[in-house]
Amino acid sequence: MSTVLVQINDHIATVTINKPEVLNALSTEVLADLNQALDEVEKVENIYAVILPGAGGKSFVAGADISEMKDMDAKQAAQYAKFADKIFFRIEDFHCPVIAAVNGFALGGGCELAMACDIRIASETARFAQPEAGLGITPGFGGTQRLARLIGAGRAKELIYTGRHVKADEAFSIGLVNKVTKPEDLMAETVAMAQVICQKAPFAIKKAKAAINRGLQVSIDKAVAVETEEFAQCFATEDQKMGMNAFVKKEKVEKFYNR
């Protein structure tokens, strides 16, 4: 993988988009490397959180690679979008939480990549946009769907129709990001949140993520049934027995064992 770096530290994997010379634009090569990086992370036992930043400080991901896209026909464009969608769905459905650490530009495909993550932490320099209409296209990597689900259809339509940039403070106020930090604190704050997640029961976090993601796709009565299914599975784990027994005894669980 020449464009994506993977680092493992305890139970946290950091997967960095590493093409700062082109502001980490999502070419086919970068997407393929990102997919391979997810393969590598999945091979490591007991990874409980993934952090996804962009290298270089100026940009998380500035968008898809326009020079690669400009001469595509409709069939090629559909194949390209489906290739990216498969990887973004993989991030959305990954076995543990994925946290986007957004520095600088998150435009087009970069905003879409961030939205595929469970949580988004942005530095004060972050700028979000879906500017595709100014290039004669729609968002193609899930932007029309995830943005509307995150911030509501009215706001999503405004941002997609106008292509305007959203600064970090506004992104926070409309629910596009979970937290805003100073640029120099971005990674430390993101790691700190990942560490808190890692202290919880990993199987329970996995099941909560599945319940939320699955439930959003169905009616409320079916969603509650999904929740019951995921909830019940936790009661077959050692971590549940340990956690609840410790609570009753007024003791603290020092470590969950993901079993």
Side-chain angles (χ1 to χ4, degrees):
M1 297 176 292
S2 62
T3 67
V4 177
L5 306 176
V6 177
Q7 288 183 302
I8 306 294
N9 187 8
D10 293 329
H11 298 296
I12 301 170
T14 301
V15 177
T16 304
I17 310 296
N18 186 38
K19 244 194 156 179
E21 67 275 13
V22 291
L23 300 179
N24 303 317
L26 292 178
S27 63
T28 300
E29 179 188 21
V30 172
L31 288 167
D33 282 356
L34 178 57
N35 196 46
Q36 186 179 341
L38 297 174
D39 287 340
E40 295 300 316
V41 173
E42 283 190 329
K43 293 175 185 176
V44 181
E45 290 187 6
N46 297 328
I47 294 297
Y48 302 155
V50 175
I51 296 172
L52 185 62
K58 292 183 179 179
S59 177
F60 171 68
V61 168
D65 188 335
I66 305 303
S67 63
E68 186 176 44
M69 295 169 61
K70 66 182 181 62
D71 295 323
M72 290 181 179
D73 59 25
K75 182 178 179 180
Q76 291 169 325
Q79 291 172 339
Y80 185 55
K82 287 176 181 177
F83 177 57
D85 286 341
K86 183 177 179 181
I87 299 165
F88 286 17
F89 274 123
R90 189 175 179 190
I91 291 169
E92 190 169 69
D93 296 331
F94 209 64
H95 72 271
C96 65
V98 181
I99 307 173
V102 181
N103 51 308
F105 296 118
L107 311 179
C111 187
E112 290 166 310
L113 177 59
M115 290 191 293
C117 298
D118 296 271
I119 296 168
R120 286 152 294 283
I121 299 179
S123 85
E124 293 168 343
T125 66
R127 298 292 182 270
F128 298 85
Q130 297 289 164
E132 289 88 348
L135 301 172
I137 60 174
T138 70
F141 296 172
T144 60
Q145 304 307 307
R146 290 192 178 95
L147 189 60
R149 283 165 169 78
L150 279 170
I151 67 172
R155 281 197 176 104
K157 288 177 179 179
E158 177 210 337
L159 296 184
I160 290 169
Y161 297 170
T162 64
R164 74 175 178 87
H165 286 210
V166 173
K167 294 181 180 180
D169 57 349
E170 182 183 357
F172 176 75
S173 71
I174 64 177
L176 183 54
V177 303
N178 300 76
K179 187 173 185 179
V180 178
T181 75
K182 294 185 180 299
E184 62 270 23
D185 296 334
L186 176 62
M187 286 306 297
E189 293 278 358
T190 306
V191 170
M193 183 178 289
Q195 288 172 335
V196 171
I197 291 170
C198 290
Q199 292 169 5
K200 310 304 179 184
F203 186 81
I205 297 292
K206 177 181 178 180
K207 295 286 103 179
K209 175 172 177 170
I212 294 167
N213 286 352
R214 291 175 60 197
L216 285 171
Q217 309 307 316
V218 296
S219 62
I220 185 64
D221 56 330
K222 291 180 180 178
V224 170
V226 166
E227 180 185 81
T228 299
E229 174 191 335
E230 303 290 0
F231 167 76
Q233 290 179 33
C234 296
F235 284 77
T237 67
E238 293 180 26
D239 283 349
Q240 175 268 328
K241 300 294 186 291
M242 181 173 62
M244 288 194 167
N245 284 328
F247 179 84
V248 170
K249 295 176 181 178
K250 295 181 169 46
E251 297 174 351
K252 182 179 179 181
V253 175
E254 295 299 330
K255 181 180 180 181
F256 287 103
Y257 291 95
N258 196 27
R259 58 177 185 256

